[in-house]
Amino acid sequence: MNNFGVIEIASTTTKSTPGWAYVPDTAPALPAAVHSTSRKRAARNQPALTLSDLSAREETRIRKELEALDRDNPKDVNIPIPPRPGGGSRAQNKHTPNVRKILQSQKSFANHLDDYQAMLALAESNPAAAAALNAAQAKPSTPTTAVSKSASPAPTPASAGGASKRSAAAAKRAAAKEKQEQERKKAQHTPKPETESEKLGSTPPQQAPQRQQQEGDNDVEMSDATASTAQPPPTAPAAQISYPRVSAILPAYAKPPPAAHPGDADPLLVSRVPAFPSDDELRALMTAPPLSYLEARGAWGEEERRYPVRVFCAVCGYWGRVKCMKCGTRVCALDCLEAHREECVTRYGL
Amino acid sequence: MPASRKSRATGPPPPSTTLVLDNGADTIKAGFVTGGKADDAPRIIPNCLARDRHRKTYVGSELEKCRDFGEMAFRRPVEKGFIVNWEAQKEIWDREFFDENAPQKCDPSEARLVLAEQPNGLPALQTHCDQMVFEEFGFASYYRGIGPSFNAYRDIQAIFHTPRTPDTPVDVPAEVILLIDSGYSHTTVTPILQGRPLHPAIRRLDVGGKFMTNYLTRLLSVRHFDMRNETFIANEMKEAVCYVSLDFKGDLEKTWKGTRGERREDFVSGAGIAKDYVLPDSHTTFHGVVRDYDPGGASSRGRKAAVSTEDVLTLRNERFVVPELLFNPSDVGLSQPGLADLVMQSLSVLPIGLWPGLLANIVVVGGNARLENFIQRLQMELLERVPDECVVRVACPENPVISTWLGAANFARHEHVERLAVTKQEYEEYGAGWVARRFSAGLGVDT
Ligand SMILES: [Zn+2]
Ligand SMILES: [Zn+2]
């Protein structure tokens, strides 16, 4: 009986066969069990791996496997840009300095991510410098965008040259208008969107100044937005002016839904939920800034971490009920263990 | 909703032509909106430089001319969903859109660009993109927005086949959707209210088409032939045979050969799961072919096909353990929640009052949405996780690959584009930082 490298894993539902064991498929490597069994193996005069050796091998294997799954090609390839069909080539000398830099960059996504994380870390460790650094990173192009006509680096209203007066005035106007709006809304209170919004949306004379206000406002508002994360109210004046206005952010949900969707047979009756978020809550959500790349990555919480992960036979893909003690690889049964042995010996020696 | 075109306060009127690009890692979806009318469908362009075993290089749509995809190697300008290598991206864009004989010739100085990007991009890469668009290509007007949000500009209730009378107005953008985009690089979950993404709730699972193809390649290489240099062929195989299991344990049981010597009945018969796949021979055939499983054929020997000029693989659990990674990424040691848990994580940062609307309007787009049973499995798993009275509706548009483009084309005709797009003059006046902040601030709220 070949029982090469098998670890018996203690379990109440074990169906014993000489030398190896079936165990419930949900069992992850339980540290205690592995430890005790490897001592058992040691007692049988086998070269025993310590727990840390074993888990280090497993970790390394998984990490390498995940890296391989993430690649575009099995190995690094270098495919240069081929010459143009017909021998033609575009003039290469017209690039701006920004463009030249971008085209020459050989950075990978991982490099860019590292740069970004390093910037965040630095900002955190040195809060004094954080603001300046943040600003520089939020508009990394500023030193070089000077190729454009405007020499002003920061697009704040004050520095935006001719735009400054316009922006300031627009901001004032918008703020006043916002106040008016709020008062009017309070007075109205109930949703009455259709007629009013239509009127506003199709009134051409109003639109020209509106556009200006929007731009000016965005200037003002955005410099705020970079400083603090969620600051929804300032966005309102910018957006409200040129867009059909409604008195609630999600008007359909404020109405009795069945009437609003006469043809909708689906029981999508949101009104059944009592705690519909307030407009303030919605506004905050709808104007919150994007998360960073890593913040958005789905991650396990404490709870998920405790769940056992499923393990599979590395050879045939069935449940991995048996564990190779040399490398921690799981296999389903003896057939596959033998197949694994070949590879295992090649990789780790006898 | 009719697009209301507005004249801008300053400068010339907006360009009448918009180039709409969904610039994916695997393919570019490209088409025009001209004078308020959009192309029916985008052209789909491989977004890569590909080199075959005879060391001939194909750029973008030239790949159509390639017949033999054996040992094909790829260089992709888009990495992790984001344009990283502009040397390659520019070459492809030039040939497809800007060169004299480009198949979709476009004069940027008289056009607007609407470009879909992935959520949660790196600021430096976004700035590179904006700089290239204005300083190198010289578009007159430009908007860069996240792909999921563009889907809100489609007729979402039509995708759900919601019954309605012909005169029911179509809400564009849709009031509420939960958009799942599962593409080449990854899978994202984005709740969207009236076209505005709820940024704090956007979540990403780093499993996409590439990851799954590589996994299939690995399984085949362990069990059958060394396929490690045959990514293209493995990808075709994945698209042809893989499905999302609705009973993973049961399917796994049916495809197990058994213990030593034993060959279980289901294994021998194939149990309706096993399929034979004939690999291309690269002489007379260049694409693989799926066949019904022949129990008398390659079955019992397992490893190598019978003596024949054909290379036939019998695929069993490979068919469903590969897409299973979307729902159980920990199966390969990736410590991330599966898609249903990811949706729940996204919802968990939102007020509970929004859950019913979002759960009843889940739309899945991207190439992986074509995997059989994808939406059924997602719905099944979500129902296990939400309160009993919650309705869970999951839908996939007819062609999920071009959905983002179709949405972006609708957006390009919607008045929202006028509020969001930036002109070249504005870029030159206010700089790239201003443009980036403006795009990231989005529409704001209309009340
Ligand atoms: Zn096995
Ligand atoms: Zn081993």
Side-chain angles (χ1 to χ4, degrees), chain A residues 312-320 330-337, chain B residues 256-258:
Chain A
F312 298 92
C313 174
V315 179
C316 76
Y318 188 64
W319 300 117
R330 300 290 195 120
V331 290
C332 64
L334 278 185
D335 268 6
C336 289
L337 185 67
Chain B
W256 189 43
K257 63 188 179 311

Coordinates of all heavy atoms in Angstrom, one line a residue, chain A residues 312-320 330-337, chain B residues 256-258, ligand 1:
Chain A
F312 N -9.8 21.3 -3.0 CA -10.0 20.4 -4.1 C -8.8 19.6 -4.4 O -7.7 20.0 -4.1 CB -10.5 21.2 -5.3 CG -11.7 22.0 -5.1 CD1 -11.7 23.3 -4.7 CD2 -12.9 21.4 -5.4 CE1 -12.9 24.0 -4.5 CE2 -14.1 22.1 -5.2 CZ -14.1 23.4 -4.7
C313 N -9.1 18.5 -5.0 CA -8.0 17.6 -5.5 C -7.2 18.4 -6.6 O -7.8 18.9 -7.6 CB -8.5 16.4 -6.1 SG -7.3 15.3 -6.9
A314 N -5.9 18.5 -6.4 CA -5.1 19.3 -7.3 C -5.0 18.6 -8.6 O -4.5 19.2 -9.6 CB -3.7 19.5 -6.7
V315 N -5.3 17.3 -8.7 CA -5.1 16.6 -9.9 C -6.4 16.5 -10.7 O -6.5 17.0 -11.9 CB -4.6 15.1 -9.6 CG1 -4.5 14.4 -10.9 CG2 -3.3 15.2 -8.9
C316 N -7.5 16.1 -10.1 CA -8.7 15.9 -10.9 C -9.8 16.9 -10.6 O -10.8 17.0 -11.3 CB -9.3 14.5 -10.7 SG -10.1 14.2 -9.1
G317 N -9.7 17.6 -9.5 CA -10.6 18.7 -9.2 C -11.8 18.3 -8.3 O -12.6 19.1 -7.9
Y318 N -11.8 17.0 -7.9 CA -12.9 16.6 -6.9 C -12.4 17.1 -5.6 O -11.4 17.8 -5.4 CB -12.9 15.1 -7.0 CG -14.1 14.5 -6.2 CD1 -15.4 14.8 -6.5 CD2 -13.8 13.7 -5.0 CE1 -16.4 14.3 -5.8 CE2 -14.9 13.2 -4.3 CZ -16.2 13.5 -4.7 OH -17.2 13.0 -3.9
W319 N -13.3 16.9 -4.6 CA -12.9 17.4 -3.2 C -11.5 16.9 -2.8 O -11.2 15.7 -3.0 CB -13.9 16.9 -2.2 CG -15.4 17.3 -2.5 CD1 -16.4 16.5 -2.7 CD2 -15.9 18.7 -2.5 NE1 -17.6 17.3 -2.9 CE2 -17.2 18.6 -2.8 CE3 -15.3 19.9 -2.3 CZ2 -18.0 19.7 -2.9 CZ3 -16.1 21.1 -2.4 CH2 -17.4 21.0 -2.7
G320 N -10.8 17.8 -2.2 CA -9.4 17.4 -1.8 C -9.4 16.9 -0.4 O -9.3 17.6 0.6
R330 N -3.7 19.1 -1.8 CA -4.8 18.2 -1.5 C -5.0 17.3 -2.7 O -5.0 17.8 -3.9 CB -6.0 19.0 -1.2 CG -5.9 19.9 0.0 CD -5.8 19.1 1.3 NE -6.1 19.9 2.4 CZ -7.1 19.7 3.3 NH1 -7.9 18.7 3.1 NH2 -7.3 20.6 4.3
V331 N -5.4 16.1 -2.5 CA -5.8 15.2 -3.6 C -7.1 14.5 -3.1 O -7.4 14.5 -1.9 CB -4.8 14.2 -4.0 CG1 -3.6 14.9 -4.7 CG2 -4.2 13.5 -2.8
C332 N -7.8 13.8 -4.0 CA -9.0 13.2 -3.6 C -8.8 11.8 -3.1 O -9.5 11.4 -2.1 CB -10.0 13.1 -4.8 SG -9.4 12.1 -6.2
A333 N -7.9 11.0 -3.6 CA -7.7 9.7 -3.2 C -6.4 9.1 -3.8 O -5.6 9.9 -4.4 CB -8.9 8.8 -3.7
L334 N -6.2 7.9 -3.7 CA -4.9 7.3 -4.1 C -4.5 7.5 -5.5 O -3.3 7.8 -5.8 CB -4.9 5.8 -3.7 CG -4.6 5.6 -2.2 CD1 -4.4 4.2 -1.9 CD2 -3.3 6.4 -1.8
D335 N -5.4 7.3 -6.4 CA -5.1 7.5 -7.8 C -4.4 8.8 -8.0 O -3.3 8.9 -8.6 CB -6.4 7.6 -8.7 CG -6.7 6.2 -9.2 OD1 -6.0 5.2 -8.8 OD2 -7.7 6.1 -10.0
C336 N -5.0 9.9 -7.5 CA -4.5 11.2 -7.7 C -3.3 11.5 -6.9 O -2.4 12.3 -7.3 CB -5.6 12.2 -7.5 SG -6.9 12.2 -8.7
L337 N -3.2 10.8 -5.8 CA -2.0 11.0 -4.9 C -0.8 10.5 -5.7 O 0.3 11.2 -5.6 CB -2.2 10.3 -3.6 CG -1.0 10.5 -2.6 CD1 -1.1 12.0 -2.2 CD2 -1.1 9.6 -1.4
Chain B
W256 N -16.9 12.9 -10.9 CA -15.7 12.2 -10.2 C -15.5 10.8 -10.7 O -16.5 10.1 -10.9 CB -15.9 12.3 -8.7 CG -14.7 11.8 -8.0 CD1 -13.4 12.2 -8.2 CD2 -14.6 10.9 -6.8 NE1 -12.5 11.6 -7.3 CE2 -13.3 10.8 -6.5 CE3 -15.6 10.3 -6.1 CZ2 -12.9 10.1 -5.4 CZ3 -15.2 9.5 -5.0 CH2 -13.8 9.4 -4.7
K257 N -14.3 10.5 -11.0 CA -14.1 9.1 -11.6 C -14.3 8.1 -10.5 O -14.6 6.9 -10.8 CB -12.6 9.1 -12.1 CG -11.5 9.2 -11.1 CD -10.2 9.3 -11.7 CE -9.1 9.5 -10.7 NZ -9.3 10.6 -9.7
G258 N -14.0 8.4 -9.2 CA -14.1 7.4 -8.2 C -12.8 7.0 -7.6 O -11.8 7.7 -8.0
Ligands
ZN1 ZN -8.4 13.5 -7.6

